[in-house]
Amino acid sequence: MELFDHLLYGLQNLAGVTPVLVVIAGVVVGILGGAMPGISPSMAVALLLPFTFGMSASMGIVMLCAIYLAANYGGSITAVMINTPGTPSAVVTAFDGYPLTRKGQAGTGLGVSLIASVVGGFVGIVILILFSGPLARLALKFWPAEYFALAVLGLSTIASLGGGRWLESFVAVLLGLLLNTIGLDPLSGVSRFTFDIVRLYDGFSFIPVLIGLFALSEVFSCIESGEVNAPSVVPDKDKSPWPSVRDYLKLKYAMLRAGIIGTVIGIFPGAGGTIASFIAYDVEKRVSNDPDSFGKGTPFGVAAAEASNSASVGGALVPLLTLGIPGSSSAAVLLGALMIHELQPGPELFTKHPEIVYTLFSSLFVANIFILILGLLGARLWIRTALIPKRALYPMILAFSFIGSFAVRSSMFDVGVCLAFGVIGWILTRYDVPVSPVVLGMILGTMIEQNLRTTIMMGGPGLFFSRPLSLALLTLAFASVLVPYLRGRKSPSSRKGAGGAA
Amino acid sequence: MDIIGFLGKGKGALVLFGACAAVLVVLSFLLRSTKFAPRRGRILIVAALLELCGVFFFLTFGLEDIEAVGSSAKTAPRLWASLLAFFSLDQLRRVLSGDAKPDPESGDLSRVFRAIAIVALAIWGMAYVGFYVATCGMILLLLLLLGERRPLMLLSLPGGWLFFSYFVFARVLMMGLPTGALFG
């Protein structure tokens, strides 16, 4: 009851024109930032950080959290419409969102991604409010062995991501892991495979790789197939472009499942929304009655990906607010913002400044509602992207790819990397090698290597099997790979199939 | 050790990658008139991956050795390269035994290569003419390549992009886009 009183008090703090405008501004900036490849949620939060200096602490934090939440949704817009994930966590959204657009169902893709984001966001916030204490304690029990096992579990999703192409998926994920070793070794600082190119000391920047593998490769594939001269996919006029309430209700369990997975994975520092969306998508595919439809444009895939990455925001705020440990790069920027406003995250924040904590909690609910409203208004505009002739759209995608790649580190080298990975992605896709496992390998590579080696240093490889949580996660990962492998061996025809996400 | 040091940087790296590319070209030529010709593309991809594994594994011998209780900077690259080589060889076995699909039908490859050349030219040109001119030129050339001939489109799209990108990225987001030697 006390909790509801606090939340009501928080809501009262938001009653007024200024707080509502602050939330709306945060949501608008977040959606636009997320939709723009190259502007990550953390970058959007960091860009607006100086504007909060003149605000009260609570309003400043409210605005930054609204940006963080909205940017996770914004990333899905370009993923669905032009196969260019605006944020790394939107990669999985593109697996089914873009095929929906190609089928003339962009409205379904956008509608489901919006509602799933909002539902996932609510799930994350509710769990944050109710269970932040116990969840934070659980996160503290994670040693490097468990982080390694969690990352391996994330990698195991390739077994279903690649559809029947399990061998190609393994090759692709190992290619991603190998490419991820380029740069300075995360533990010893030894320079590896940099060929004396200073820009490679940090390894490949993730966004240019992402844009290249997804957006540029798609453009090149369409140019090759002559699809560029095909008429634009016009939504069926006899059918509503938007999903009905009944359609959304069919997805309710998928959204809830993904929301819970997203929140739980979001609380582990370093894991974040990207791993959450891969795992939630994998789980949804495994429980589905029609797993073959995944990767070909099923709303369930979009719902799982979006609900989990939005829910991970609530998860990332758990260790941030309760322990002062940021769960993601955006949460790290928020930690800086809290400190700039002379607030020390941790248990004391709840006792010394409950008004700020509960205003923040309430504002997340309000921000979610504005994401829904502004998302619905904006979606009517985004959907028109599908009507742009492809020969006009593709040069613009390439120009945007330049900006997105350049923006990350203000580096022309990254623009070249984007083109190189575009060509690699085009070749791989042409020969049925899925590119999403390459991305997954590159995302998880550092986490796996760092925790593998730290665990070996701490107590040898035996530690992976002597810690119950690590053993359980590794067993789950092993089973996740083994089951589709054995199924594939039983039906050789499926190995030749082209199903699965790109 | 010296040869690894030489191949791991500068001109040595060019020699290394040039040799790898040459092997692929020769292999492609040799496969043209064999029974493997319908799966030549797949074989070349596997060969490229095996070369990559070989290069990475070979270069780990030149890495500085800061050993820390059973693991070093060499551990992960060697592990991933070995596993990638193992799965690539399995893939090669499938391709050679005819278990894999034949290569896909080629589409308009020359148009793709021209598009890639235009994009590469724009990236190279940015150092000289700056971001705005290079991207406008790229959009115009790509429009022409993709078959657009309407003058209004050919003018409005690059022009619109110029105004949009300057206003949003340079003025609003204060992004320091390259201006190029010509205007810098």
Side-chain angles (χ1 to χ4, degrees):
Chain A
M1 206 57 198
E2 193 187 359
L3 180 71
F4 287 105
D5 289 341
H6 283 312
L7 284 173
L8 270 177
Y9 173 73
L11 272 177
Q12 281 168 7
N13 283 346
L14 293 171
V17 177
T18 312
V20 170
L21 283 177
V22 164
V23 174
I24 291 176
V27 169
V28 170
V29 170
I31 292 177
L32 291 177
M36 211 172 283
I39 309 274
S40 60
S42 54
M43 210 188 284
V45 174
L47 276 172
L48 268 283
L49 180 59
F51 292 93
T52 66
F53 293 163
M55 297 179 187
S56 67
S58 58
M59 281 305 108
I61 303 302
V62 160
M63 182 158 112
L64 296 177
C65 283
I67 295 172
Y68 182 17
L69 196 61
N72 271 287
Y73 158 66
S76 72
I77 296 169
T78 42
V80 171
M81 295 310 301
I82 54 172
N83 201 31
T84 308
T87 56
S89 58
V91 167
V92 186
T93 310
F95 292 171
D96 283 287
Y98 186 62
L100 278 170
T101 300
R102 288 177 70 112
K103 286 197 281 187
Q105 297 172 26
T108 304
L110 287 172
V112 170
S113 74
L114 174 63
I115 298 298
S117 283
V118 172
V119 172
F122 275 122
V123 171
I125 299 159
V126 169
I127 294 177
L128 165 71
I129 294 169
L130 295 178
F131 304 108
S132 48
L135 282 174
R137 281 193 289 277
L138 172 74
L140 280 181
K141 285 186 179 155
F142 263 53
W143 280 27
E146 279 81 17
Y147 278 109
F148 171 77
L150 182 67
V152 172
L153 182 65
L155 273 192
S156 72
T157 60
I158 55 149
S160 67
L161 274 180
R165 296 172 289 170
W166 63 269
L167 186 56
E168 288 85 349
S169 301
F170 275 114
V171 167
V173 82
L174 286 164
L175 176 65
L177 287 167
L178 190 60
L179 291 176
N180 189 68
T181 60
I182 293 173
L184 294 181
D185 169 38
L187 292 185
S188 64
V190 170
S191 158
R192 296 188 298 200
F193 321 119
T194 53
F195 303 105
D196 264 3
I197 300 167
V198 178
R199 287 287 180 186
L200 276 181
Y201 278 39
D202 283 340
F204 288 121
S205 182
F206 188 61
I207 293 287
V209 172
L210 198 73
I211 297 173
L213 284 177
F214 283 90
L216 264 66
S217 71
E218 173 69 16
V219 170
F220 296 147
S221 295
C222 289
I223 292 176
E224 188 198 346
S225 64
E227 211 180 297
V228 74
N229 294 323
S232 300
V233 183
V234 180
D236 192 346
K237 279 184 183 168
D238 298 331
K239 231 179 125 190
S240 164
W242 302 106
S244 63
V245 175
R246 190 179 290 175
D247 294 330
Y248 290 128
L249 284 174
K250 281 183 199 160
L251 303 168
K252 59 182 182 292
Y253 294 120
M255 293 184 204
L256 282 175
R257 259 192 302 268
I260 293 167
I261 290 171
T263 315
V264 173
I265 293 177
I267 63 167
F268 299 111
T274 313
I275 301 178
S277 56
F278 271 100
I279 292 180
Y281 184 86
D282 182 49
V283 168
E284 206 47 49
K285 189 173 177 182
R286 284 171 198 272
V287 301
S288 169
N289 292 326
D290 185 16
D292 289 341
S293 63
F294 280 72
K296 294 171 188 161
T298 173
F300 286 91
V302 178
E306 272 308 298
S308 58
N309 78 40
S310 289
S312 71
V313 173
L317 290 176
V318 171
L320 174 71
L321 295 176
T322 55
L323 305 167
I325 302 169
S328 65
S329 48
S330 306
V333 182
L334 281 174
L335 177 68
L338 284 165
M339 288 173 158
I340 284 168
H341 287 282
E342 294 176 354
L343 299 166
Q344 185 59 47
E348 282 194 351
L349 187 67
F350 285 78
T351 49
K352 280 189 179 172
H353 302 284
E355 75 288 355
I356 290 179
V357 174
Y358 288 99
T359 304
L360 170 64
F361 286 167
S362 307
S363 77
L364 291 172
F365 281 113
V366 176
N368 239 344
I369 291 166
F370 278 109
I371 289 175
L372 180 65
I373 295 167
L374 295 171
L376 283 172
L377 291 173
R380 294 178 194 284
L381 187 68
W382 310 128
I383 204 167
R384 302 191 78 83
T385 321
L387 303 174
I388 300 173
K390 283 177 180 151
R391 57 183 173 202
L393 184 65
Y394 288 161
M396 299 309 290
I397 291 177
L398 290 169
F400 267 110
S401 301
F402 276 17
I403 292 263
S405 306
F406 181 83
V408 184
R409 297 192 291 197
S410 295
S411 157
M412 281 310 295
F413 178 78
D414 285 344
V415 184
V417 166
C418 175
L419 174 63
F421 274 89
V423 176
I424 292 170
W426 168 60
I427 295 171
L428 291 180
T429 313
R430 209 168 174 269
Y431 291 97
D432 303 324
V433 181
V435 291
S436 49
V438 181
V439 174
L440 191 64
M442 292 187 81
I443 292 171
L444 294 177
T446 309
M447 188 175 171
I448 286 190
E449 183 180 0
Q450 216 163 347
N451 290 298
L452 169 75
R453 287 170 56 193
T454 311
T455 307
I456 290 172
M457 281 191 263
M458 283 169 78
L463 215 54
F464 293 115
F465 308 103
S466 60
R467 293 184 57 81
L469 205 50
S470 160
L471 181 65
L473 287 168
L474 285 175
T475 309
L476 195 61
F478 185 65
S480 307
V481 173
L482 200 65
V483 172
Y485 171 75
L486 290 176
R487 273 191 202 145
R489 298 290 284 196
K490 272 184 189 168
S491 55
S493 59
S494 70
R495 285 159 61 185
K496 291 181 182 179
Chain B
M1 205 57 167
D2 283 334
I3 185 91
I4 299 173
F6 169 72
L7 293 173
K9 57 187 171 191
K11 283 180 185 168
L14 287 178
V15 170
L16 186 64
F17 287 108
C20 289
V23 169
L24 291 179
V25 171
V26 171
L27 186 64
S28 171
F29 182 76
L30 291 176
L31 288 169
R32 277 178 74 172
S33 50
T34 64
K35 64 173 181 174
F36 302 116
R39 292 177 176 80
R40 194 165 52 140
R42 291 183 196 280
I43 294 173
L44 287 175
I45 286 189
V46 175
L49 289 171
L50 288 170
E51 281 184 343
L52 191 73
C53 296
V55 167
F56 271 60
F57 204 96
F58 173 68
L59 291 179
T60 57
F61 290 101
L63 292 181
E64 214 178 314
D65 226 346
I66 305 175
E67 188 90 12
V69 203
S71 84
S72 74
K74 299 169 182 176
T75 311
R78 284 183 181 175
L79 179 65
W80 306 142
S82 307
L83 286 170
L84 180 57
F86 173 77
F87 284 112
S88 298
L89 285 171
D90 193 22
Q91 178 89 318
L92 185 64
R93 180 194 58 76
R94 275 181 57 197
V95 175
L96 295 180
S97 63
D99 203 12
K101 284 192 293 186
D103 291 349
E105 293 272 319
S106 290
D108 194 348
L109 287 180
S110 72
R111 194 142 76 149
V112 180
F113 291 134
R114 275 181 283 161
I116 292 170
I118 291 170
V119 177
L121 182 73
I123 295 172
W124 174 79
M126 267 185 220
Y128 301 98
V129 295
F131 173 84
Y132 300 104
V133 177
T135 48
C136 281
M138 181 189 76
I139 292 171
L140 181 67
L141 288 175
L142 284 171
L143 282 169
L144 289 167
L145 177 75
L146 300 178
E148 183 60 64
R149 293 291 180 270
R150 287 170 292 177
L152 187 66
M153 277 294 271
L154 293 173
L155 284 175
S156 64
L157 219 56
W161 168 256
L162 181 70
F163 285 111
F164 170 80
S165 57
Y166 177 72
F167 179 73
V168 173
F169 300 110
R171 303 301 297 228
V172 178
L173 292 174
M174 305 285 202
M175 213 181 260
L177 292 164
T179 47
L182 201 64
F183 305 106

